[in-house]
């Protein structure tokens, strides 16, 4: 089992930056795919950035590529999402999610189906 808890959301003007944190606890010994998801009203949750703990590999949605950076603390207990050049369309509830994955996050990393563990989310609001 894993427990996830997000922090760092807030309100910012377009062009600004925020850093989100996801505290990870529980059974830490198996490889995991840990992903930041975003949900806006009327839309499905979408994966924006993923990290695989075994390979250190990352994946990004095209909409955030070059602006967002995902990283993991050395002890693997905190996942970060550095968000730069924020746009109003980045507004949403950001959640981190995880599942045990031995061989990478896979092609479906940005869909909710594989994920068994979820945090409560933190709100990000970007004004124009």
């Amino acid at each position: 089992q894993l427990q996830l808890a997000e922090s760092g959301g807030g309100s910012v003007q377009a062009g600004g930056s925020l850093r989100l944190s996801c505290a990870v606890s529980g059974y830490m010994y198996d490889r995991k795919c840990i992903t930041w998801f975003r949900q806006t009203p009327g839309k499905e949750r979408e994966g924006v950035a993923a990290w695989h703990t075994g390979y250190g590999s990352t994946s990004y949605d095209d909409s955030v590529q070059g602006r967002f950076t995902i990283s993991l603390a050395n002890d693997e207990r905190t996942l970060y999402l550095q968000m730069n050049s924020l746009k109003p369309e980045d507004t949403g509830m950001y959640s981190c999610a995880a599942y045990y994955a031995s061989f990478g996050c896979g092609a479906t990393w940005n869909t909710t189906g594989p994920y068994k563990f979820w945090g409560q989310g933190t709100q990000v609001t970007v004004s124009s």
Side-chain angles (χ1 to χ4, degrees):
Q1 295 287 324
L2 292 172
Q3 294 79 46
L4 307 170
E6 304 90 342
S7 61
S11 297
V12 64
Q13 289 195 325
S17 299
L18 282 173
R19 189 175 81 157
L20 305 183
S21 299
C22 173
V24 184
S25 60
Y27 187 79
M28 303 294 289
Y29 299 103
D30 289 343
R31 296 176 176 182
K32 299 173 283 297
C33 179
I34 315 177
T35 296
W36 284 101
F37 281 83
R38 173 172 65 200
Q39 186 165 29
T40 54
K43 291 183 67 176
E44 299 280 336
R45 269 176 175 166
E46 57 178 355
V48 297
W51 182 287
H52 186 260
T53 63
Y55 301 115
S57 55
T58 58
S59 300
Y60 292 94
D61 185 76
D62 288 346
S63 67
V64 306
Q65 183 77 47
R67 300 188 298 122
F68 290 11
T69 303
I70 191 171
S71 61
L72 187 68
N74 288 339
D75 63 3
E76 298 190 353
R77 293 190 177 275
T78 308
L79 182 77
Y80 300 101
L81 185 68
Q82 177 66 43
M83 306 187 294
N84 298 330
S85 302
L86 281 161
K87 304 175 181 180
E89 51 264 44
D90 294 319
T91 294
M93 180 68 73
Y94 285 71
S95 303
C96 56
Y99 69 101
Y100 294 111
S102 297
F103 303 111
C105 290
T108 58
W109 69 269
N110 57 346
T111 64
T112 60
Y115 295 85
K116 297 186 180 302
F117 310 105
W118 289 85
Q120 293 297 311
T122 186
Q123 178 68 33
V124 171
T125 303
V126 184
S127 57
S128 57

